PDB file of all heavy atoms in Angstrom:
ATOM      1  N   LYS A 296     117.906 109.957  95.868  1.00 98.00           N
ATOM      2  CA  LYS A 296     117.622 108.724  95.300  1.00 98.00           C
ATOM      3  C   LYS A 296     116.094 108.615  95.011  1.00 98.00           C
ATOM      4  O   LYS A 296     115.151 109.025  95.808  1.00 98.00           O
ATOM      5  CB  LYS A 296     117.974 107.590  96.247  1.00 98.00           C
ATOM      6  CG  LYS A 296     117.625 106.187  95.864  1.00 98.00           C
ATOM      7  CD  LYS A 296     116.368 105.601  96.388  1.00 98.00           C
ATOM      8  CE  LYS A 296     115.851 104.301  95.872  1.00 98.00           C
ATOM      9  NZ  LYS A 296     114.662 103.851  96.433  1.00 98.00           N
ATOM     10  N   GLY A 299     111.454 103.007  92.460  1.00 97.00           N
ATOM     11  CA  GLY A 299     110.762 102.459  91.350  1.00 97.00           C
ATOM     12  C   GLY A 299     109.556 103.161  90.924  1.00 97.00           C
ATOM     13  O   GLY A 299     109.261 103.392  89.759  1.00 97.00           O
ATOM     14  N   THR A 517     110.422 108.612  97.569  1.00 98.00           N
ATOM     15  CA  THR A 517     109.581 107.480  97.315  1.00 98.00           C
ATOM     16  C   THR A 517     108.116 107.793  97.149  1.00 98.00           C
ATOM     17  O   THR A 517     107.724 108.963  96.699  1.00 98.00           O
ATOM     18  CB  THR A 517     109.770 106.473  98.467  1.00 98.00           C
ATOM     19  OG1 THR A 517     109.117 105.257  98.272  1.00 98.00           O
ATOM     20  CG2 THR A 517     109.450 107.110  99.902  1.00 98.00           C
ATOM     21  N   ASP A 518     107.096 106.869  97.465  1.00 97.00           N
ATOM     22  CA  ASP A 518     105.708 107.072  97.254  1.00 97.00           C
ATOM     23  C   ASP A 518     105.026 107.246  98.420  1.00 97.00           C
ATOM     24  O   ASP A 518     103.661 107.232  98.402  1.00 97.00           O
ATOM     25  CB  ASP A 518     105.125 105.918  96.339  1.00 97.00           C
ATOM     26  CG  ASP A 518     105.293 104.566  96.984  1.00 97.00           C
ATOM     27  OD1 ASP A 518     105.956 104.508  98.100  1.00 97.00           O
ATOM     28  OD2 ASP A 518     104.893 103.588  96.435  1.00 97.00           O
ATOM     29  N   MET A 523     106.728 105.822 108.340  1.00 97.00           N
ATOM     30  CA  MET A 523     105.489 106.014 109.070  1.00 97.00           C
ATOM     31  C   MET A 523     105.532 105.032 110.345  1.00 97.00           C
ATOM     32  O   MET A 523     106.319 104.118 110.449  1.00 97.00           O
ATOM     33  CB  MET A 523     104.273 105.637 108.195  1.00 97.00           C
ATOM     34  CG  MET A 523     104.368 106.561 106.882  1.00 97.00           C
ATOM     35  SD  MET A 523     102.961 106.209 105.792  1.00 97.00           S
ATOM     36  CE  MET A 523     101.706 107.016 106.479  1.00 97.00           C
ATOM     37  N   ASP A 526     103.427 100.113 108.649  1.00 96.00           N
ATOM     38  CA  ASP A 526     103.246 100.015 107.245  1.00 96.00           C
ATOM     39  C   ASP A 526     101.897 100.442 106.817  1.00 96.00           C
ATOM     40  O   ASP A 526     100.937  99.871 107.339  1.00 96.00           O
ATOM     41  CB  ASP A 526     103.499  98.545 106.831  1.00 96.00           C
ATOM     42  CG  ASP A 526     103.402  98.310 105.318  1.00 96.00           C
ATOM     43  OD1 ASP A 526     102.922  99.183 104.596  1.00 96.00           O
ATOM     44  OD2 ASP A 526     103.941  97.231 104.888  1.00 96.00           O
ATOM     45  N   ARG A 528     100.104 100.142 104.354  1.00 95.00           N
ATOM     46  CA  ARG A 528      99.238  99.195 103.617  1.00 95.00           C
ATOM     47  C   ARG A 528      98.567  98.255 104.527  1.00 95.00           C
ATOM     48  O   ARG A 528      97.527  97.578 104.212  1.00 95.00           O
ATOM     49  CB  ARG A 528     100.078  98.233 102.631  1.00 95.00           C
ATOM     50  CG  ARG A 528     100.611  99.027 101.510  1.00 95.00           C
ATOM     51  CD  ARG A 528     101.703  98.248 100.806  1.00 95.00           C
ATOM     52  NE  ARG A 528     102.908  98.083 101.699  1.00 95.00           N
ATOM     53  CZ  ARG A 528     103.943  97.384 101.371  1.00 95.00           C
ATOM     54  NH1 ARG A 528     104.148  97.110 100.195  1.00 95.00           N
ATOM     55  NH2 ARG A 528     104.914  97.221 102.243  1.00 95.00           N
ATOM     56  N   LYS A 553     109.794  98.606 104.686  1.00 94.00           N
ATOM     57  CA  LYS A 553     110.454  98.486 103.405  1.00 94.00           C
ATOM     58  C   LYS A 553     110.920  99.870 102.809  1.00 94.00           C
ATOM     59  O   LYS A 553     111.649  99.965 101.953  1.00 94.00           O
ATOM     60  CB  LYS A 553     109.338  97.893 102.456  1.00 94.00           C
ATOM     61  CG  LYS A 553     109.941  97.535 101.075  1.00 94.00           C
ATOM     62  CD  LYS A 553     108.814  97.076 100.142  1.00 94.00           C
ATOM     63  CE  LYS A 553     109.342  96.918  98.689  1.00 94.00           C
ATOM     64  NZ  LYS A 553     108.324  97.411  97.803  1.00 94.00           N
TER      65      LYS A 553
HETATM   66  P1  ADP B 242     110.844 102.669  96.509  1.00 78.74           P
HETATM   67  O1  ADP B 242     110.292 101.924  95.223  1.00 78.74           O
HETATM   68  O2  ADP B 242     110.596 104.109  96.431  1.00 78.74           O
HETATM   69  O3  ADP B 242     112.138 102.177  96.968  1.00 78.74           O
HETATM   70  P2  ADP B 242     109.497 100.952  98.268  1.00 78.74           P
HETATM   71  O4  ADP B 242     108.268 100.318  97.734  1.00 78.74           O
HETATM   72  O5  ADP B 242     110.667 100.136  98.448  1.00 78.74           O
HETATM   73  O6  ADP B 242     109.686 102.309  97.470  1.00 78.74           O
HETATM   74  O7  ADP B 242     109.123 101.475  99.710  1.00 78.74           O
HETATM   75  C1  ADP B 242     108.095 102.291  99.973  1.00 78.74           C
HETATM   76  C2  ADP B 242     106.895 101.546 100.506  1.00 78.74           C
HETATM   77  O8  ADP B 242     107.245 100.948 101.795  1.00 78.74           O
HETATM   78  C3  ADP B 242     105.634 102.331 100.842  1.00 78.74           C
HETATM   79  O9  ADP B 242     104.896 102.480  99.663  1.00 78.74           O
HETATM   80  C4  ADP B 242     105.043 101.568 101.896  1.00 78.74           C
HETATM   81  O10 ADP B 242     103.992 100.766 101.374  1.00 78.74           O
HETATM   82  C5  ADP B 242     106.089 100.641 102.398  1.00 78.74           C
HETATM   83  N1  ADP B 242     106.346 100.627 103.878  1.00 78.74           N
HETATM   84  C6  ADP B 242     106.361  99.675 104.650  1.00 78.74           C
HETATM   85  N2  ADP B 242     106.556 100.101 105.973  1.00 78.74           N
HETATM   86  C7  ADP B 242     106.605 101.357 105.945  1.00 78.74           C
HETATM   87  C8  ADP B 242     106.778 102.341 106.997  1.00 78.74           C
HETATM   88  N3  ADP B 242     106.905 102.065 108.292  1.00 78.74           N
HETATM   89  N4  ADP B 242     106.765 103.657 106.496  1.00 78.74           N
HETATM   90  C9  ADP B 242     106.550 103.895 105.312  1.00 78.74           C
HETATM   91  N5  ADP B 242     106.413 103.079 104.315  1.00 78.74           N
HETATM   92  C10 ADP B 242     106.411 101.746 104.646  1.00 78.74           C
END
Side-chain angles (χ1 to χ4, degrees):
K296 176 261 172 178
T517 181
D518 59 357
M523 304 178 80
D526 185 340
R528 290 165 300 184
K553 187 187 171 216

